[in-house]
């Protein structure tokens, strides 16, 4: 059976999806990245290996997310795509009539405008975290509410309180002020949801024509309080769809892209990756005043990839050459002597 | 007198030839690096435009290397570039450096000052003959550096061996630094042109073509704009840049005229028919031109908070709607993150590719 693997390593969560040739999801998982993407990738691979249908053979792998390059090297990707394309592809596959995609993840949020099944425009916020999942999570901790129950709490509110949502700092002080006035937790939670929605709309959707159906995906889409707030914002005039797969849409998209790309022979490293050891270290390349911080990824001691040099002269080959040429080069690249 | 000056793409090569020929000793600032940016950002007003901060960093590094004079261009107009020099002068004086600041303003604001500044920049002696030869040579060199960059950005997506292309361009640029005569320049130029034209390339069918518009500094200085030329080229995109220092200077000079800019201003007319400062009109006009040339998309580069480009941004969106042309706006300053920029550019290229597959609407189809 021919299957394709999609991997989405984000700032907060890591998603794996295994699909068949008809783009149907066979198995998927949703894990916390917890600041260690390599560990999360290994865990995800182990899960996929255990839950994959018997006889499934991975034909191609696609990676996306902020750690897409790293994941691409570790898993052995055939295609490495940005999150915007991956999310759009999944949304179009899931809801062919989609005209707008809202994606709210851990550290950034995206708005994708789709017309006739093609991406026409997109916007992404990275300047401010007030419209993202981290903001909600942070405020949930302040309210002493588990993030999973935040949405339910918000839906219990009789009314919302208006909380300034322009930036995290303002929102926080405003929220505390409203708490001190005696508003209950459900009202505050609802107010925060509305603030996030306003922030999203002001930051990303200004000047763009938002048409339905809207597909709302990303981790935050599981928060019913936010979904309700979006519906209220559009006075229920625009249809908002939250697909059951909303959490793993990026990975699904990466899988679909991999299946469309379908190489002759996949660069997939196999499930044995989980047994290999990966190590990341960095050094400052002092060849010019830029002093780029070059990040080295090593797999079982051999250099697999280097990132971060502006001039692009650092490749596994050049690093090897350099360490063969000079002893200091070896120390630089491999960290011998220094550690 | 040991003079330093700001970097702008390969301007340092031309100035490095010009000043010594005029008898002015120069201390070129080191190439723009993280250190340059840090120095400038630390001392400049927080909400000043990014180019002010970077050029301030250039001056400080030049002074570190022993410069006692700073050459800077100025201007008056509805763009903050006009006070870059003034602000930088005050900052440098406040730091306690004993440095002479020579501001070259447009002669419109005083022929006397203009000529005085020119006189200092020529080493105190004003000789028309000597000046003419040196300026002509430097001008030709500047022109050729831009030509080389044009070759590089348009060839990048078509060649297999990108590293050799880079080396070829860099080596030619280096050779220009020691040029003393027009004849030597002509030889280097002919040789480089022949080499670049014969560079083995792939078929150029179905290439995605993207035009760059925007503010003169950010759109050209690749150490600041995350080398967007290379980023796009590596994604297989044919890149054309409408922004050029040569045209900028031509446009500013009295008695001369930039045909390129004149055309852009004409094309911008239906959308914007008054000067909004900086390169606002040029960005709008060039966007219209790219649409007419049948380009697939436009990347708009400008410093964060740049007033003229923000005006242009709003108008360009209307141009994009009218001509069915996607535009990616990228505001750049010291806080711009490379990861976010790369994601946006990649996604933009994906958008263009997917649109290309569906067949881009022709100008006739959209009623133009």
């Amino acid at each position: 059976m021919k299957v394709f693997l999609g991997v989405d390593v984000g700032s907060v969560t890591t998603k794996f999806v295994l699909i068949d040739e008809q783009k149907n999801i066979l198995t998927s998982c949703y894990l916390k990245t917890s600041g260690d993407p390599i560990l999360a990738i290994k865990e995800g691979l182990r899960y996929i290996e255990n839950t994959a249908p018997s006889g499934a053979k991975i034909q191609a792998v696609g990676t996306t997310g902020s750690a897409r390059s790293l994941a691409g090297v570790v898993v052995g990707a055939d295609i490495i795509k940005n999150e915007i394309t991956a999310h759009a592809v999944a949304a179009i596959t899931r809801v062919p009539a989609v005209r707008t995609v809202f994606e709210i993840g851990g550290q950034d949020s995206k708005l994708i405008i789709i017309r006739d099944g093609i991406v026409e425009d997109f916007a992404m916020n990275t300047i401010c975290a007030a419209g993202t999942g981290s903001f909600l999570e942070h405020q949930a901790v302040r309210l002493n509410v588990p993030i999973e129950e935040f949405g339910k709490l918000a839906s219990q509110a009789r009314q919302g309180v208006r909380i300034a949502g322009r930036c995290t700092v303002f929102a926080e002080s405003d929220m505390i002020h409203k708490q001190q006035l005696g508003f209950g937790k459900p009202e505050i939670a609802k107010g925060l949801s509305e603030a996030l929605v306003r922030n999203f709309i002001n930051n990303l959707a200004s000047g763009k024509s938002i048409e339905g159906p809207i597909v709302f995906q990303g981790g935050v889409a599981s928060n019913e309080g936010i979904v309700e707030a979006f519906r209220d914002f559009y006075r229920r005039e625009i249809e908002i769809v939250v697909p059951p797969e909303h959490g793993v849409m990026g990975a699904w998209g990466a899988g679909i892209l991999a299946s469309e790309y379908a190489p002759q022979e996949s660069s997939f490293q196999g499930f044995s990756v989980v047994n290999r050891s990966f190590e990341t270290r960095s050094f400052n390349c002092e060849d010019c005043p830029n002093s780029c911080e070059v990040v080295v990824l090593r797999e079982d001691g051999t250099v697999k990839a280097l990132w971060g040099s502006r001039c692009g002269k650092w490749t596994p080959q050049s690093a090897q050459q350099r360490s063969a040429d000079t002893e200091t080069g070896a120390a630089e690249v491999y960290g011998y002597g220094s550690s | 007198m040991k003079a330093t000056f700001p970097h702008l793409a390969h301007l340092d090569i031309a100035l490095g030839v010009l000043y010594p020929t005029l008898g002015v000793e120069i201390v070129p600032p080191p190439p723009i690096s993280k250190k340059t940016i840090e120095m400038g950002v630390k001392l400049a007003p927080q909400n000043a435009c990014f180019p002010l901060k970077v050029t301030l960093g250039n001056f400080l590094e030049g002074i570190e290397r022993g410069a006692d004079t700073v050459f800077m261009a100025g201007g008056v107009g509805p763009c903050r570039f006009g006070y870059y020099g003034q602000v930088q002068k005050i900052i440098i004086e406040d730091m306690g450096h004993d440095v002479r600041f020579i501001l070259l303003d447009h002669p419109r604001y005083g022929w006397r000052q203009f000529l005085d500044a020119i006189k200092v920049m020529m080493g105190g002696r004003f000789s028309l003959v000597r000046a003419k030869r040196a300026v002509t040579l430097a001008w030709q060199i500047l022109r050729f550096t831009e030509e080389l960059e044009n070759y590089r950005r348009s060839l990048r997506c078509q060649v297999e061996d990108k590293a050799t292309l880079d080396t070829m361009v860099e080596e030619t640029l280096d050779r220009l630094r020691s040029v003393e005569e027009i004849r030597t320049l002509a030889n280097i130029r002919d040789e480089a042109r022949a080499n670049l034209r014969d560079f083995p390339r792939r078929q150029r069918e179905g290439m995605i073509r993207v035009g760059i518009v925007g503010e003169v500094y950010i759109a050209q200085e690749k150490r600041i704009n995350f080398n967007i030329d290379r980023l796009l080229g590596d994604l297989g995109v044919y890149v054309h840049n409408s922004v050029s220092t040569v045209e900028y200077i031509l446009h500013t000079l009295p008695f001369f005229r930039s045909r390129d800019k004149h055309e852009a201003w004409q094309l911008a007319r239906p959308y914007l028919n008054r000067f909004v400062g900086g390169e606002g009109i040029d960005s709008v006009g060039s966007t219209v031109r790219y649409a007419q040339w049948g380009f697939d998309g436009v990347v708009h580069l400008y410093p964060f908070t740049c007033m003229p480009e923000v005006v242009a941004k709003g108008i360009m969106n209307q141009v994009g709607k009218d001509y069915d042309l996607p535009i990616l706006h990228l505001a750049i300053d010291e806080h711009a993150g490379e990861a976010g920029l790369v994601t946006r550019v990649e996604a933009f290229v994906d958008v263009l590719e997917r649109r290309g597959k569906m067949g881009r609407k022709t100008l006739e189809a959209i009623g133009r």
Side-chain angles (χ1 to χ4, degrees):
Chain A
M1 183 186 187
K2 287 184 176 176
V3 294
F4 304 91
L5 181 65
V7 184
D8 177 1
V9 187
S11 58
V12 179
T13 54
T14 297
K15 286 77 74 177
F16 276 70
V17 166
L18 197 68
I19 60 167
D20 62 16
E21 282 178 289
Q22 282 72 47
K23 303 179 186 174
N24 300 312
I25 299 184
L26 300 169
T27 175
S28 69
C29 67
Y30 187 89
L31 312 154
K32 289 258 177 208
T33 307
S34 311
D36 189 349
I38 293 174
L39 191 72
I41 292 169
K42 285 182 176 179
E43 226 173 289
L45 276 175
R46 214 170 279 144
Y47 180 88
I48 294 292
E49 188 182 13
N50 292 334
T51 54
S54 55
K57 193 174 173 303
I58 292 177
Q59 302 292 312
V61 181
T63 60
T64 186
S66 42
R68 57 183 179 276
S69 312
L70 175 83
V73 173
V74 172
V75 185
D78 301 294
I79 186 163
I80 300 175
K81 269 287 168 195
N82 59 82
E83 305 92 288
I84 295 168
T85 309
H87 276 284
V89 165
I92 295 165
T93 310
R94 187 68 182 76
V95 183
V98 59
R99 291 176 78 76
T100 308
V101 177
F102 289 173
E103 197 275 336
I104 307 186
Q107 66 166 8
D108 56 29
S109 41
K110 302 165 199 80
L111 167 79
I112 310 169
I113 308 277
I114 295 169
R115 295 290 179 265
D116 308 322
I118 341 172
V119 178
E120 198 178 85
D121 197 3
F122 61 86
M124 202 177 148
N125 98 313
T126 43
I127 307 168
C128 168
T132 66
S134 323
F135 166 74
L136 273 189
E137 194 158 11
H138 187 70
Q139 304 312 330
V141 170
R142 268 202 163 275
L143 288 171
N144 204 8
V145 176
I147 185 73
E148 295 79 16
E149 283 163 35
F150 190 90
K152 216 169 286 163
L153 189 69
S155 55
Q156 289 163 9
R158 275 158 297 151
Q159 59 160 142
V161 283
R162 190 157 176 107
I163 292 174
R166 180 156 289 275
C167 95
T168 352
V169 182
F170 292 168
E172 200 163 296
S173 56
D174 205 28
M175 183 187 90
I176 291 165
H177 171 68
K178 294 286 153 57
Q179 269 180 320
Q180 311 295 53
L181 289 174
F183 284 101
K185 279 185 187 176
E187 280 73 26
I188 301 274
K190 186 166 178 173
L192 278 172
S193 309
E194 285 168 354
L196 184 141
V197 166
R198 271 201 309 278
N199 180 287
F200 181 91
I201 302 288
N202 291 340
N203 260 336
L204 299 177
S206 67
K208 300 196 169 21
S209 69
I210 305 298
E211 293 174 22
I214 298 171
V215 175
F216 183 19
Q217 54 200 45
V220 175
S222 23
N223 187 320
E224 52 211 91
I226 302 287
V227 180
E228 273 310 296
F230 268 118
R231 292 205 169 115
D232 285 343
F233 183 88
Y234 288 112
R235 284 184 243 99
R236 306 192 175 262
E237 284 160 6
I238 299 181
E239 188 196 354
I240 297 178
V241 185
V242 180
E245 308 86 351
H246 61 81
V248 296
M249 291 297 263
W252 193 12
I256 295 170
L257 287 164
S259 74
E260 282 175 2
Y261 177 69
Q264 287 291 318
E265 197 165 328
S266 174
S267 0
F268 181 49
Q269 298 284 312
F271 289 107
S272 62
V273 166
V274 293
N275 301 320
R276 297 181 204 163
S277 82
F278 292 91
E279 188 200 0
T280 299
R281 64 180 304 277
S282 72
F283 64 92
N284 285 330
C285 166
E286 297 295 352
D287 291 359
C288 82
N290 271 325
S291 58
C292 300
E293 189 192 16
V294 181
V295 179
V296 190
L297 176 73
R298 282 194 293 160
E299 180 193 283
D300 293 335
T302 53
V303 175
K304 262 314 252 295
L306 296 104
W307 292 286
S309 74
R310 284 194 164 193
C311 60
K313 72 173 171 199
W314 286 104
T315 61
Q317 291 79 23
S318 74
Q320 216 162 12
Q321 187 64 41
R322 179 101 150 210
S323 56
D325 287 352
T326 58
E327 274 177 45
T328 50
E332 258 176 12
V333 179
Y334 296 112
Y336 298 150
S338 60
S339 61
Chain B
M1 182 171 75
K2 285 182 182 170
T4 192
F5 48 82
H7 273 297
L8 199 179
H10 301 303
L11 190 65
D12 60 321
I13 299 178
L15 296 184
V17 170
L18 174 69
Y19 289 132
T21 329
L22 293 173
V24 179
E25 199 185 333
I26 50 162
V27 187
I32 297 170
S33 65
K34 251 193 272 175
K35 187 181 154 224
T36 319
I37 298 171
E38 273 164 22
M39 285 173 98
V41 166
K42 205 170 95 189
L43 290 158
Q46 189 230 324
N47 51 2
C49 346
F50 195 36
L52 183 148
K53 298 176 186 176
V54 184
T55 46
L56 178 64
N58 285 153
F59 298 152
L60 294 170
E61 282 186 312
I63 293 166
E64 256 180 15
R65 290 190 165 191
D68 58 11
T69 308
V70 171
F71 289 161
M72 178 68 181
V76 181
C79 164
R80 295 193 281 192
F81 176 59
Y83 68 47
Y84 278 18
Q86 312 288 352
V87 171
Q88 288 165 333
K89 179 171 182 248
I90 296 169
I91 293 170
I92 289 174
E93 279 170 1
D94 280 354
M95 285 180 72
H97 291 298
D98 185 22
V99 171
R100 194 147 70 124
F101 220 94
I102 308 295
L103 257 176
L104 186 68
D105 250 331
H106 194 281
R108 193 187 307 144
Y109 310 111
W111 275 96
R112 201 49 200 281
Q113 281 158 309
F114 176 75
L115 288 175
D116 282 349
I118 289 278
K119 200 168 158 191
V120 178
M121 287 187 178
M122 288 180 61
R125 289 147 299 184
F126 193 85
S127 146
L128 260 182
V129 183
R130 209 163 55 122
K132 189 166 175 278
R133 272 194 51 209
V135 169
T136 316
L137 179 62
W139 182 249
Q140 300 281 358
I141 289 175
L142 183 63
R143 269 223 138 112
F144 183 53
T145 58
E146 290 194 350
E147 189 184 322
L148 278 173
E149 286 298 340
N150 282 338
Y151 269 115
R152 166 145 67 176
R153 60 172 77 89
S154 57
L155 283 178
R156 193 163 189 89
C157 62
Q158 304 173 45
V159 303
E160 210 67 67
D161 191 0
K162 296 175 169 60
T164 311
L165 175 68
D166 274 336
T167 338
M168 197 184 268
V169 172
E170 294 298 335
E171 274 172 6
T172 314
L173 287 170
D174 258 350
R175 281 174 70 193
L176 289 177
R177 286 178 200 277
S178 50
V179 166
E180 279 172 356
E181 271 182 89
I182 291 267
R183 217 178 318 133
T184 340
L185 170 69
N187 288 338
I188 296 176
R189 192 163 51 193
D190 291 344
E191 194 187 316
R193 276 180 186 160
N195 282 341
L196 286 164
R197 275 190 201 131
D198 296 343
F199 209 95
R201 10 182 145 173
R202 287 178 292 209
Q203 273 295 312
R204 41 185 301 171
E205 295 274 305
M207 245 182 329
I208 289 182
R209 293 188 297 169
V210 165
I212 293 178
V213 304
E215 190 267 343
V216 70
Y217 191 85
I218 302 280
Q220 286 196 94
E221 186 50 76
K222 51 181 135 185
R223 285 161 290 200
I224 297 301
N225 64 26
F226 301 99
N227 209 339
I228 193 148
D229 285 355
R230 189 168 81 185
L231 186 60
L232 284 166
D234 287 346
L235 289 168
V237 174
Y238 175 97
V239 186
H240 184 275
N241 195 339
S242 66
V243 182
S244 132
T245 313
V246 168
E247 301 297 334
Y248 181 86
I249 295 173
L250 270 182
H251 191 71
T252 325
L253 286 178
F255 318 123
F256 289 94
R257 196 176 191 196
S258 155
R259 214 181 292 155
D260 193 66
K261 286 209 170 227
H262 182 71
E263 188 187 67
W265 284 43
Q266 292 294 324
L267 289 170
R269 243 197 191 144
Y271 297 94
L272 179 65
N273 55 16
R274 58 171 296 172
F275 185 61
V276 291
E279 288 79 46
I281 304 188
D282 305 276
S283 294
V284 174
S286 302
T287 306
V288 176
R289 184 160 48 196
Y290 282 130
Q292 292 183 346
W293 284 352
F295 268 50
D296 298 278
V298 165
V299 174
H300 180 209
L301 291 166
Y302 59 99
F304 186 60
T305 72
C306 173
M307 187 272 288
E309 295 300 332
V310 169
V311 173
K313 180 184 166 187
I315 299 168
M316 281 164 67
N317 285 336
Q318 188 57 46
V319 179
K321 257 181 216 148
D322 288 354
Y323 286 92
D324 190 32
L325 181 75
I327 300 167
L328 178 70
H329 303 281
L330 295 171
I332 292 187
D333 70 354
E334 67 270 26
H335 303 299
E338 188 164 10
L341 184 125
V342 171
T343 303
R344 282 173 175 79
V345 171
E346 281 180 7
F348 184 66
V349 173
D350 280 345
V351 169
L352 301 183
E353 247 164 34
R354 295 226 160 208
R355 277 168 60 100
K357 275 186 200 149
M358 308 303 253
R360 191 169 170 261
K361 290 180 208 151
T362 58
L363 289 179
E364 291 76 52
I366 51 173
R368 289 269 157 186

